[in-house]
């Protein structure tokens, strides 16, 4: 975990009955590389304040970036 972020309490899409999506939350993990089939690379996952709703962004250390309205959707890309 690089940053725990900040809880956004005044906008309803930033939390649910099960989850809280803190703006600025950032983590990293090693996973299979997109450019080297047998290699691994670091991926950074973060929750970005897109104005109204949270935006989930996954960025590989090699530069590829994927964003979506949910964490699952960003990782599936």
């Amino acid at each position: 975990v690089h940053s725990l972020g900040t809880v956004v309490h005044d906008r309803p899409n930033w939390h649910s009955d099960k989850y809280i999506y803190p703006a600025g939350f950032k983590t990293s993990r090693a996973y299979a590389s997109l450019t080297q089939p047998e290699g691994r690379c670091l991926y950074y996952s973060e929750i970005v304040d897109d104005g109204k709703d949270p935006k989930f962004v996954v960025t590989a250390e090699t530069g590829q970036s994927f964003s979506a309205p949910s964490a699952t959707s960003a990782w599936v890309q």
Side-chain angles (χ1 to χ4, degrees), residues 10-77:
D10 59 344
R11 291 181 269 170
N13 293 336
W14 285 81
H15 54 83
S16 71
D17 292 340
K18 295 182 181 181
Y19 304 107
I20 297 172
Y21 311 114
F25 180 80
K26 186 172 184 177
T27 62
S28 62
R29 69 174 284 191
Y31 198 69
S33 173
L34 294 170
T35 57
Q36 298 177 4
E38 296 188 24
R40 295 171 69 81
C41 75
L42 268 180
Y43 290 86
Y44 297 92
S45 180
E46 58 188 312
I47 303 173
V48 177
D49 190 341
D50 197 18
K52 179 182 175 189
D53 300 325
K55 180 168 68 170
F56 298 83
V57 180
V58 175
T59 305
E61 68 181 342
T62 54
Q64 298 92 339
S65 184
F66 309 94
S67 64
S70 74
T72 301
S73 298
W75 276 101
V76 167
Q77 291 183 47

